[in-house]
Amino acid sequence: TLWAFATQVRQPDDELVAILTGLAVLRDMTAHDIANTLWALATLGRQPDEALMAGLMERAFAVRQTFNPQDIAQLLWALATFGRQPSEALLAGLTERVVEVCNDFMPQAIANTLW
């Protein structure tokens, strides 16, 4: 996975990145998958193309009620790293989710969310 490459600080080739982030896989992604994919791309310094980012954000909105604190923090950290903002609808959905799971946030997730 991209996460494994990022944690090992190894750059996957472009073909592998294209396969692992193909739009066909988006429909099955969980909140955790989305957060890890964006975190890995940001960690590797690979800006997602517009189609991929749109697909990931659409899927994130669809599964917004399943994000845990770490997933929220990773998603927002990655977007900030890319210099992007979530849509107003996604941000509103994640804000609601933060309120629901606020007691489960660890200090690092709080810091990354606020970053």
Side-chain angles (χ1 to χ4, degrees), residues 11 30 34 38 53 76 88 104:
Q11 285 288 336
T30 65
I34 295 163
L38 287 170
M53 184 59 81
L76 294 176
E88 288 186 31
D104 299 328

Side-chain angles (χ1 to χ4, degrees), residues 61 64-65 87-98 100:
F61 182 78
R64 66 193 178 280
Q65 290 300 316
S87 69
E88 288 186 31
L90 178 58
L91 185 57
L94 290 176
T95 300
E96 288 176 14
R97 186 67 180 147
V98 166
E100 293 170 2

Side-chain angles (χ1 to χ4, degrees), residues 2 10 12 40 59 71 73 87 97-98:
L2 289 177
R10 299 185 67 188
R59 183 67 183 152
D71 297 336
S87 69
R97 186 67 180 147
V98 166

Side-chain angles (χ1 to χ4, degrees), residues 31-109:
H32 190 70
D33 296 335
I34 295 163
N36 278 349
T37 297
L38 287 170
W39 176 87
L41 289 170
T43 299
L44 293 167
R46 290 181 171 256
Q47 183 77 234
D49 65 30
E50 291 303 318
L52 176 59
M53 184 59 81
L56 286 168
M57 294 300 94
E58 181 179 314
R59 183 67 183 152
F61 182 78
V63 298
R64 66 193 178 280
Q65 290 300 316
T66 64
F67 274 84
N68 67 34
Q70 183 176 351
D71 297 336
I72 294 168
Q74 285 181 325
L75 172 77
L76 294 176
W77 176 85
L79 291 175
T81 300
F82 294 135
R84 296 175 178 252
Q85 295 183 359
S87 69
E88 288 186 31
L90 178 58
L91 185 57
L94 290 176
T95 300
E96 288 176 14
R97 186 67 180 147
V98 166
V99 171
E100 293 170 2
V101 298
C102 65
N103 292 328
D104 299 328
F105 270 85
M106 301 298 286
Q108 183 66 48

Side-chain angles (χ1 to χ4, degrees), residues 13-20:
D13 64 40
D14 292 340
E15 183 179 355
L16 181 58
V17 171
I19 291 168
L20 293 175

